[in-house]
Amino acid sequence: MHRLVGLMLVLAALLPAGAAATFADPPVSVQVEDTAGVLDRNQLVPALEGIDFYEPTRVAIYTYNGRTGDNLNEEVLRFARSGHPEWISADGQKWADGLFIFALDPVGRHVGTYMGEDRKVSFEQRQDIQDAARDLLRDAQWTEGTVAGVRRAAELISQPWYLSAAFLITAWVTAGTAALGAAAWIIVRAVTRSSSRKEIARGDQSYANVSMDLEVTELNAGTIPEASRYGGHVLEKHRTFLNRYNTASQLSNKVHALSSRDLGRRRHLKLARQYADAASELDALDDAIADTNALLNKAGTWPTAWDRQLAPFRKDLAGLEQVLSKRHGQGDSATAAALRSFRDQSLRDIERWTVELAEGKITPEKALDRLYDARSRLAVLLENHAQTVIEGFAKNQREAEVMRKEMQAAQDGLNHRGRRSYEPSILGTVYPSYHFFSVATFNSGLNTGVSSVSSAGAEAAAPPGMEAVAVAFPVRAVHPVSSPAGLYAAPREFAVPVLYGRMW
């Protein structure tokens, strides 16, 4: 048994080398048809061109603004026939060989994958590709989600047999229960070890930044005007800075004392994450201390510090129109008009504040007060508009409560490890992260609320023969269906929860 396990380990060690030799073909071409206007081409195209496939593959990206009830399969086929006949085989019955299409409907919230006969993967692998993009798409990160989906497709399309799940399962069965247990143990340890190293690397980068700037941070803190309301709050955070730095140092010593074998244990992964989070928060805090000193004292770098304070507000203002123009966004309502008016006025105000600050007509504290008031006003306007959206979409009190709950959950949201996000700015240091209702938070709450209500309604109205299936992280999906054209593949929504069944 030991020899068999050893043989499997040697084989596992040799497989990556074979995979690396095979996994070396960048896309033959990248076509982007972003009719929805949601993708950043400057980011998307280089990212896709840098992805390696197992075989030369043409990549096509198609986006359009549809509706929840649209059939993405039919829309992609219609678009291909009208604008890109080269995507379809010569006999018109299948997708062209060597082609992979990633289709996205950000409004109707559908994502689909389509490929030529020589690039086909299993239904489960299609789900895997779409799952790789789902979380990013749910957060409206359309470009990043598209890249993630194509990257996962590259890993699965024409995958060598020795990397397939079927081969691994066969090898494990052949080796017996003992070998299977050993392989599983090794895989879990390897994944955990890799995650631990990534967390330590994340922590080391932040810890190095803090350590190099430690003396500068102390000097910056020493010249922050304590009489300033903002300076006083930041100094309160600084009073614990050295203690927190010492704690981070102790954590650094602990994680770097771990052996490679130790890093494969779950409890040590938790320790590595604790170190990375502690160092990252310190790194953000020392930036806030530097900006507070520069801005309040009008030091030479104050314009850069002021721009960093404006950045979160500018981002909110820039993202308003995309939210209001969405389906169910109630973009023609009175509350939407109030948001647009506020946005236009705020953009003018920002320029005026900056000029007045530069000319000494207002103090840095007054500028921060105005920024605080503006962001607080935006939060109120977003809350008012959220009520408009809920009243416009919900058909009854129960649905309204579901949407309010999702909106509140987004505003109070934690990250995947139960920690609140931290805004590395003066206002972000003085106030908790959930104090300001941001546009990104509104968008996330709206998407989740609409999806929850729509999915609950679809499940209640499911026709006979549709089988409800519970999954660990539910998303709506449909089985792939054979069709006379042979061109359809199952689209998936990134919403909740799920009915599996045939649509045709």
Side-chain angles (χ1 to χ4, degrees):
M1 181 61 69
H2 288 162
R3 291 177 181 175
L4 185 55
V5 172
L7 179 60
M8 290 180 65
L9 292 176
V10 171
L11 179 60
L14 293 175
L15 289 181
T22 307
F23 195 72
D25 285 308
V28 174
S29 64
V30 174
Q31 288 179 285
V32 179
E33 295 289 350
D34 181 24
T35 66
V38 296
L39 301 177
D40 181 351
R41 292 174 181 268
N42 293 332
Q43 175 185 351
L44 178 67
V45 174
L48 296 184
E49 290 176 344
I51 295 174
D52 284 336
F53 286 75
Y54 290 112
E55 294 186 83
T57 300
R58 291 184 295 132
V59 175
I61 309 298
Y62 172 52
T63 73
Y64 87 110
N65 290 322
R67 297 173 301 176
T68 303
D70 282 358
N71 186 316
L72 184 62
N73 294 329
E74 294 178 357
E75 168 58 26
V76 175
L77 179 57
R78 180 202 64 75
F79 181 79
R81 284 174 171 165
S82 63
H84 285 282
E86 73 278 8
W87 291 0
I88 301 174
S89 63
D91 60 7
Q93 299 300 304
K94 305 182 187 313
W95 295 109
D97 284 346
L99 176 67
F100 170 72
I101 303 173
F102 186 91
L104 170 64
D105 171 9
V107 176
R109 308 198 65 73
H110 295 84
V111 60
T113 51
Y114 310 86
M115 54 206 73
E117 288 295 302
D118 62 342
R119 297 294 185 271
K120 274 191 173 180
V121 297
S122 68
F123 173 59
E124 290 74 16
Q125 289 173 322
R126 287 182 187 274
Q127 290 182 313
D128 195 352
I129 294 170
Q130 293 160 1
D131 284 345
R134 181 186 61 195
D135 288 343
L136 291 167
L137 297 178
R138 290 180 67 179
D139 289 336
Q141 298 185 55
W142 312 120
T143 301
E144 293 81 356
T146 299
V147 172
V150 175
R151 181 177 292 113
R152 186 56 180 154
E155 294 170 356
L156 295 176
I157 293 174
S158 302
Q159 185 184 64
W161 62 270
Y162 51 79
L163 294 180
S164 67
F167 169 77
L168 294 177
I169 292 172
T170 301
W172 290 340
V173 171
T174 303
T177 303
L180 176 61
W185 180 83
I186 291 170
I187 290 172
V188 169
R189 285 298 180 92
V191 170
T192 304
R193 186 179 298 111
S194 175
S195 298
S196 296
R197 285 172 174 158
K198 288 178 181 178
E199 291 296 325
I200 292 173
R202 180 168 71 93
D204 285 347
Q205 182 176 357
S206 296
Y207 183 75
N209 292 338
V210 174
S211 298
M212 287 190 298
D213 294 338
L214 199 57
E215 291 185 7
V216 176
T217 299
E218 292 305 301
L219 290 173
N220 284 329
T223 53
I224 290 176
E226 192 166 3
S228 164
R229 286 178 292 110
Y230 296 100
H233 281 294
V234 172
L235 286 174
E236 285 181 11
K237 297 291 180 72
H238 171 259
R239 289 187 182 99
T240 64
F241 187 88
L242 288 180
N243 288 337
R244 293 166 66 182
Y245 177 75
N246 290 334
T247 299
S249 299
Q250 293 171 5
L251 290 171
S252 175
N253 292 334
K254 287 181 180 179
V255 297
H256 285 98
L258 297 174
S259 66
S260 179
R261 181 177 181 180
D262 292 334
L263 292 176
R265 296 189 171 96
R266 295 290 300 178
R267 68 177 183 272
H268 292 142
L269 171 58
K270 183 178 179 180
L271 182 67
R273 283 176 174 164
Q274 185 181 352
Y275 162 60
D277 288 338
S280 296
E281 287 187 10
L282 280 175
D283 196 11
L285 180 56
D286 75 359
D287 288 342
I289 290 171
D291 285 346
T292 303
N293 177 56
L295 184 60
L296 296 184
N297 290 309
K298 293 293 288 290
T301 58
W302 77 261
T304 302
W306 173 239
D307 282 340
R308 277 198 285 265
Q309 310 317 303
L310 292 173
F313 189 43
R314 289 185 189 273
K315 182 178 180 181
D316 278 339
L317 297 177
L320 264 178
E321 193 58 41
Q322 182 180 2
V323 171
L324 297 179
S325 62
K326 290 177 58 175
R327 178 173 167 82
H328 308 307
Q330 297 293 326
D332 56 352
S333 64
T335 52
L339 280 167
R340 290 190 176 100
S341 176
F342 173 81
R343 174 197 59 200
D344 296 341
Q345 181 61 47
S346 294
L347 291 173
R348 292 190 292 270
D349 287 343
I350 286 173
E351 299 305 318
R352 179 167 54 83
W353 301 340
T354 302
V355 170
E356 292 178 352
L357 185 57
E359 294 176 350
K361 293 180 179 179
I362 60 173
T363 64
E365 288 88 347
K366 185 63 176 177
L368 288 170
D369 285 343
R370 291 180 177 181
L371 180 57
Y372 168 82
D373 291 340
R375 293 186 67 182
S376 299
R377 175 61 179 159
L378 176 60
V380 172
L381 292 173
L382 285 172
E383 288 171 358
N384 293 341
H385 189 61
Q387 186 59 36
T388 299
V389 171
I390 291 170
E391 291 174 355
F393 185 81
K395 298 183 179 66
N396 51 54
Q397 186 61 31
R398 182 189 61 80
E399 291 185 353
E401 286 302 320
V402 169
M403 294 189 70
R404 289 191 190 96
K405 181 180 178 181
E406 295 294 354
M407 280 286 187
Q408 189 61 47
Q411 190 170 4
D412 295 340
L414 305 173
N415 67 19
H416 65 284
R417 292 195 297 277
R419 299 176 65 88
R420 295 193 184 278
S421 58
Y422 181 80
E423 182 183 296
S425 68
I426 298 173
L427 293 182
T429 302
V430 173
Y431 299 98
S433 61
Y434 53 87
H435 185 82
F436 302 110
F437 192 8
S438 70
V439 171
T441 298
F442 177 92
N443 192 39
S444 175
L446 170 61
N447 292 340
T448 307
V450 169
S451 297
S452 296
V453 171
S454 299
S455 300
E459 187 171 2
M466 296 287 282
E467 177 188 4
V469 178
V471 293
F473 196 98
V475 292
R476 181 176 297 172
V478 226
H479 284 301
V481 180
S482 299
S483 68
L487 293 168
Y488 291 154
R492 301 186 70 195
E493 295 181 24
F494 11 101
V496 282
V498 156
L499 292 176
Y500 279 97
R502 294 187 178 274
M503 297 288 289
W504 294 276

